[in-house]
Amino acid sequence: ALSCGNKKTTAVETEAEVEQIFAVSTLTTSAGNLDDYLEFGGDISSVNSVAVLPDQGGKITNILVSVGDLVNKGQIIAYVNPLRAGAVYNDSPVHSPISGRITSLPTTVGSTVSQSSPIATVARTDDLEIKINIAERFISRISPKQKATVTFDAYPSVEFPATVFEISPVLDTMTRTMGVKLHFDQKDARVKVGMYGRVKLVTESVKNAIVIPATAIVTRDSKNYVFIVEPHTEKTSTVKLVPVTIGITVDNKTEIAEGLKAGDEIVVKGMSLLNDGAKVNI
C-alpha cells in the first residue's frame, strides 16, 4: 500500500534592492552683482521750462514760430498790439526768455491776451528730468546721487540710466509722499517730454556675490540648504546637502553670503525628493 503524506514547502522571498536615481537640472555658480531696488512711475519733464508772457495785453498780430521750433534767448516769437480806443500803438514784440524749443502755442493770431496769458512755452528738451513720489515708509532708503534705471513702454528692452539730484525736504501731508527728481545720465533723443517712465531706484547693491535662483534653496527644520553635486565623471552622480546663509533676494534671485563658492554645481530643479547622498541623473 502506498501512503501519501503532506509535503510542507517553505517559500523564500528574495528582495533585490533597487537604487533610486532622481532626474535633476543643475547650474554652475559664478560671481555676479545683485541690485535691490524700489520701483516707481513718473512723468518726463524739462528741467527748464518757461511760459512766455507779453509785456502788455492786447491782440496778437503775428506769431513767428511753430511748435517744435528751436529759439534763442531774446528771439522775437510774436507781436502784440494794445489796440486801446482813441490811440494808435505799434506792435509790441514778445521775446523768448530762454533758449530752447517751442513746446506749446496755446494762442492764435487775432486772440486777445493779457499780461498773464502765456503766448507760448519754451523748454530745454535736451535736459530732461523725471519726478517720482516716494511713500513715507521708503524715505530712509533714498539718498542724493542714488543710481536708477528708467524704462518706457515705447522701448521695453532699453534701460536709461538716471541719478537722484533733488529730494524734497518735506512730505506732502495729503499723500504722505516725498517728491524726488532724477536727472538722466545721458542725453537721448528717444526720451521726450510727457512720456511716462518706470523707475527702478537701486537701494542696495552687492558686488561679486554668488547669486542663485531662489527656487534652488530648500528649507528643512527652518534652515536653508542647497544640494551640491559631488565631482563626477559619469552620468549618475551624488548630491550633498549643504547649509547656506542667504543675503538679499531680488526678482527671484538670491545672494548666498556663505556656503557656496564660484564653480559649485548645484541642483536647481528636481530637489524636492532628494536627501543627502542621493543619486541623481543630470
Side-chain angles (χ1 to χ4, degrees):
L2 296 176
S3 64
C4 294
N6 292 332
K7 186 177 180 181
K8 187 176 181 181
T9 60
T10 304
V12 179
E13 296 181 358
T14 304
E15 290 187 0
E17 186 177 341
V18 179
E19 187 177 42
Q20 280 189 302
I21 300 176
F22 301 92
V24 298
S25 296
T26 64
L27 171 73
T28 301
T29 62
S30 61
N33 301 333
L34 186 63
D35 294 330
D36 195 5
Y37 62 87
L38 298 172
E39 193 164 11
F40 305 93
D43 296 319
I44 306 301
S45 60
S46 173
V47 172
N48 194 359
S49 180
V50 178
V52 183
L53 304 176
D55 293 332
Q56 55 186 331
K59 182 176 290 186
I60 298 177
T61 59
N62 198 2
I63 297 177
L64 306 179
V65 295
S66 300
V67 172
D69 286 353
L70 286 170
V71 296
N72 296 318
K73 181 179 180 180
Q75 181 177 332
I76 298 174
I77 64 173
Y79 286 96
V80 174
N81 195 298
L83 296 178
R84 292 190 178 91
V88 178
Y89 293 91
N90 293 326
D91 288 348
S92 174
V94 179
H95 301 273
S96 174
I98 63 170
S99 296
R101 192 178 294 274
I102 302 293
T103 58
S104 71
L105 283 170
T107 57
T108 58
V109 173
S111 301
T112 300
V113 294
S114 67
Q115 287 180 284
S116 60
S117 302
I119 300 289
T121 301
V122 181
R124 292 282 304 275
T125 56
D126 60 342
D127 191 10
L128 304 178
E129 66 183 16
I130 182 168
K131 182 178 180 180
I132 58 178
N133 294 311
I134 307 294
E136 183 177 3
R137 65 183 181 275
F138 296 133
I139 63 175
S140 63
R141 301 172 67 180
I142 310 301
S143 60
K145 298 183 179 180
Q146 201 163 351
K147 295 298 181 181
T149 57
V150 184
T151 57
F152 302 95
D153 288 340
Y155 312 105
S157 60
V158 182
E159 291 186 340
F160 299 84
T163 305
V164 173
F165 76 94
E166 182 180 301
I167 300 175
S168 173
V170 297
L171 269 69
D172 186 315
T173 55
M174 297 295 293
T175 61
R176 311 305 303 178
T177 59
M178 179 178 69
V180 173
K181 291 182 180 180
L182 298 95
H183 190 273
F184 287 94
D185 294 350
Q186 300 173 349
K187 296 177 181 179
D188 196 307
R190 291 174 294 181
V191 182
K192 303 183 185 301
V193 173
M195 293 177 69
Y196 179 83
R198 293 178 176 82
V199 180
K200 287 186 176 181
L201 193 62
V202 178
T203 58
E204 185 177 356
S205 184
V206 180
K207 306 298 182 184
N208 296 318
I210 303 300
V211 179
I212 68 172
T215 53
I217 299 172
V218 295
T219 303
R220 298 188 179 178
D221 298 326
S222 301
K223 295 181 181 179
N224 297 311
Y225 297 89
V226 171
F227 282 103
I228 294 182
V229 179
E230 300 278 27
H232 61 91
T233 56
E234 298 179 356
K235 190 174 181 180
T236 301
S237 310
T238 303
V239 295
K240 180 180 179 182
L241 186 64
V242 298
V244 293
T245 302
I246 63 174
I248 63 174
T249 298
V250 183
D251 293 339
N252 295 320
K253 295 180 180 179
T254 298
E255 170 205 0
I256 301 300
E258 294 180 5
L260 293 180
K261 64 181 184 299
D264 284 340
E265 186 178 5
I266 65 170
V267 178
V268 293
K269 286 185 180 180
M271 72 285 285
S272 59
L273 298 176
L274 298 182
N275 288 307
D276 187 48
K279 298 288 185 181
V280 295
N281 186 0
I282 300 173

Short mmCIF file of all heavy atoms in Angstrom, two decimals, residues 47-72:
data_model
loop_
_atom_site.label_atom_id
_atom_site.label_comp_id
_atom_site.label_asym_id
_atom_site.label_seq_id
_atom_site.Cartn_x
_atom_site.Cartn_y
_atom_site.Cartn_z
N VAL A 47 13.90 120.16 -17.39
CA VAL A 47 14.48 120.80 -16.21
C VAL A 47 14.19 122.29 -16.23
O VAL A 47 13.92 122.91 -15.21
CB VAL A 47 16.00 120.54 -16.16
CG1 VAL A 47 16.65 121.34 -15.04
CG2 VAL A 47 16.27 119.05 -15.97
N ASN A 48 14.21 122.88 -17.42
CA ASN A 48 13.98 124.31 -17.56
C ASN A 48 12.87 124.54 -18.57
O ASN A 48 13.06 124.34 -19.77
CB ASN A 48 15.27 125.01 -18.01
CG ASN A 48 15.19 126.52 -17.84
OD1 ASN A 48 14.18 127.04 -17.39
ND2 ASN A 48 16.25 127.21 -18.20
N SER A 49 11.68 124.91 -18.09
CA SER A 49 10.54 125.17 -18.95
C SER A 49 9.89 126.48 -18.50
O SER A 49 9.61 126.67 -17.31
CB SER A 49 9.53 124.02 -18.85
OG SER A 49 8.41 124.26 -19.67
N VAL A 50 9.66 127.39 -19.46
CA VAL A 50 9.19 128.73 -19.12
C VAL A 50 7.99 129.09 -19.99
O VAL A 50 8.00 128.86 -21.21
CB VAL A 50 10.31 129.78 -19.33
CG1 VAL A 50 9.79 131.18 -19.03
CG2 VAL A 50 11.51 129.46 -18.46
N ALA A 51 6.97 129.66 -19.35
CA ALA A 51 5.83 130.23 -20.08
C ALA A 51 6.19 131.63 -20.53
O ALA A 51 6.65 132.45 -19.73
CB ALA A 51 4.59 130.25 -19.20
N VAL A 52 6.01 131.92 -21.82
CA VAL A 52 6.36 133.23 -22.39
C VAL A 52 5.14 134.15 -22.26
O VAL A 52 4.08 133.86 -22.82
CB VAL A 52 6.78 133.10 -23.86
CG1 VAL A 52 7.20 134.46 -24.41
CG2 VAL A 52 7.91 132.09 -24.00
N LEU A 53 5.31 135.27 -21.54
CA LEU A 53 4.22 136.22 -21.29
C LEU A 53 4.50 137.53 -22.02
O LEU A 53 5.66 137.96 -22.10
CB LEU A 53 4.06 136.48 -19.79
CG LEU A 53 3.84 135.25 -18.90
CD1 LEU A 53 3.81 135.65 -17.43
CD2 LEU A 53 2.55 134.55 -19.27
N PRO A 54 3.47 138.21 -22.52
CA PRO A 54 3.68 139.50 -23.18
C PRO A 54 3.92 140.61 -22.16
O PRO A 54 3.49 140.52 -21.01
CB PRO A 54 2.36 139.71 -23.94
CG PRO A 54 1.34 138.97 -23.12
CD PRO A 54 2.06 137.77 -22.55
N ASP A 55 4.64 141.64 -22.60
CA ASP A 55 4.89 142.79 -21.72
C ASP A 55 3.61 143.58 -21.46
O ASP A 55 3.49 144.28 -20.44
CB ASP A 55 5.96 143.70 -22.32
CG ASP A 55 7.33 143.03 -22.36
OD1 ASP A 55 7.56 142.15 -21.51
OD2 ASP A 55 8.12 143.35 -23.25
N GLN A 56 2.66 143.52 -22.40
CA GLN A 56 1.39 144.22 -22.23
C GLN A 56 0.30 143.44 -22.94
O GLN A 56 0.56 142.67 -23.86
CB GLN A 56 1.49 145.63 -22.80
CG GLN A 56 1.95 145.72 -24.23
CD GLN A 56 2.16 147.15 -24.68
OE1 GLN A 56 1.50 148.06 -24.19
NE2 GLN A 56 3.08 147.35 -25.62
N GLY A 57 -0.93 143.64 -22.48
CA GLY A 57 -2.05 142.95 -23.07
C GLY A 57 -2.47 143.55 -24.39
O GLY A 57 -2.10 144.68 -24.73
N GLY A 58 -3.21 142.81 -25.16
CA GLY A 58 -3.71 143.29 -26.45
C GLY A 58 -4.05 142.14 -27.36
O GLY A 58 -4.31 141.03 -26.91
N LYS A 59 -4.03 142.43 -28.67
CA LYS A 59 -4.37 141.41 -29.66
C LYS A 59 -3.08 140.92 -30.34
O LYS A 59 -2.23 141.71 -30.72
CB LYS A 59 -5.32 141.98 -30.70
CG LYS A 59 -5.77 140.97 -31.76
CD LYS A 59 -6.78 141.56 -32.72
CE LYS A 59 -8.12 141.81 -32.00
NZ LYS A 59 -9.15 142.25 -32.96
N ILE A 60 -2.99 139.61 -30.50
CA ILE A 60 -1.83 139.03 -31.19
C ILE A 60 -1.96 139.31 -32.68
O ILE A 60 -2.95 138.92 -33.31
CB ILE A 60 -1.73 137.52 -30.92
CG1 ILE A 60 -1.54 137.24 -29.43
CG2 ILE A 60 -0.57 136.91 -31.72
CD1 ILE A 60 -1.52 135.77 -29.09
N THR A 61 -0.96 139.99 -33.22
CA THR A 61 -0.99 140.33 -34.65
C THR A 61 -0.12 139.40 -35.49
O THR A 61 -0.34 139.30 -36.70
CB THR A 61 -0.54 141.78 -34.86
OG1 THR A 61 0.79 141.93 -34.32
CG2 THR A 61 -1.48 142.75 -34.14
N ASN A 62 0.82 138.73 -34.87
CA ASN A 62 1.70 137.85 -35.65
C ASN A 62 2.39 136.86 -34.71
O ASN A 62 2.77 137.21 -33.60
CB ASN A 62 2.75 138.67 -36.41
CG ASN A 62 3.38 137.87 -37.53
OD1 ASN A 62 3.02 136.72 -37.79
ND2 ASN A 62 4.34 138.48 -38.23
N ILE A 63 2.51 135.64 -35.16
CA ILE A 63 3.27 134.61 -34.45
C ILE A 63 4.33 134.10 -35.41
O ILE A 63 4.02 133.64 -36.51
CB ILE A 63 2.36 133.45 -33.97
CG1 ILE A 63 1.34 133.96 -32.95
CG2 ILE A 63 3.21 132.34 -33.35
CD1 ILE A 63 0.36 132.91 -32.47
N LEU A 64 5.59 134.17 -34.99
CA LEU A 64 6.71 133.89 -35.88
C LEU A 64 7.27 132.48 -35.75
O LEU A 64 8.21 132.13 -36.47
CB LEU A 64 7.84 134.90 -35.61
CG LEU A 64 7.43 136.38 -35.69
CD1 LEU A 64 8.64 137.26 -35.37
CD2 LEU A 64 6.86 136.71 -37.05
N VAL A 65 6.74 131.69 -34.85
CA VAL A 65 7.29 130.35 -34.60
C VAL A 65 6.18 129.31 -34.65
O VAL A 65 4.99 129.64 -34.61
CB VAL A 65 8.02 130.28 -33.24
CG1 VAL A 65 9.24 131.18 -33.24
CG2 VAL A 65 7.06 130.66 -32.11
N SER A 66 6.61 128.04 -34.70
CA SER A 66 5.69 126.91 -34.65
C SER A 66 6.14 125.95 -33.55
O SER A 66 7.29 126.00 -33.09
CB SER A 66 5.65 126.17 -35.99
OG SER A 66 5.24 127.03 -37.03
N VAL A 67 5.25 125.09 -33.13
CA VAL A 67 5.60 124.10 -32.12
C VAL A 67 6.72 123.22 -32.65
O VAL A 67 6.68 122.73 -33.78
CB VAL A 67 4.37 123.24 -31.76
CG1 VAL A 67 4.79 122.07 -30.85
CG2 VAL A 67 3.31 124.07 -31.08
N GLY A 68 7.76 123.06 -31.85
CA GLY A 68 8.92 122.27 -32.24
C GLY A 68 10.10 123.09 -32.70
O GLY A 68 11.22 122.56 -32.81
N ASP A 69 9.88 124.39 -32.95
CA ASP A 69 10.99 125.23 -33.40
C ASP A 69 11.98 125.49 -32.28
O ASP A 69 11.60 125.64 -31.11
CB ASP A 69 10.46 126.58 -33.90
CG ASP A 69 9.76 126.48 -35.25
OD1 ASP A 69 9.82 125.38 -35.85
OD2 ASP A 69 9.15 127.47 -35.69
N LEU A 70 13.25 125.58 -32.65
CA LEU A 70 14.28 125.99 -31.71
C LEU A 70 14.39 127.51 -31.72
O LEU A 70 14.39 128.13 -32.79
CB LEU A 70 15.63 125.38 -32.09
CG LEU A 70 15.81 123.88 -31.80
CD1 LEU A 70 17.10 123.38 -32.46
CD2 LEU A 70 15.84 123.62 -30.31
N VAL A 71 14.47 128.12 -30.54
CA VAL A 71 14.59 129.57 -30.43
C VAL A 71 15.74 129.90 -29.50
O VAL A 71 16.12 129.11 -28.63
CB VAL A 71 13.29 130.22 -29.91
CG1 VAL A 71 12.15 130.01 -30.88
CG2 VAL A 71 12.92 129.67 -28.53
N ASN A 72 16.30 131.09 -29.68
CA ASN A 72 17.37 131.57 -28.83
C ASN A 72 16.82 132.54 -27.80
O ASN A 72 15.74 133.13 -27.98
CB ASN A 72 18.45 132.27 -29.66
CG ASN A 72 19.14 131.32 -30.62
OD1 ASN A 72 19.46 130.19 -30.26
ND2 ASN A 72 19.35 131.77 -31.86
#
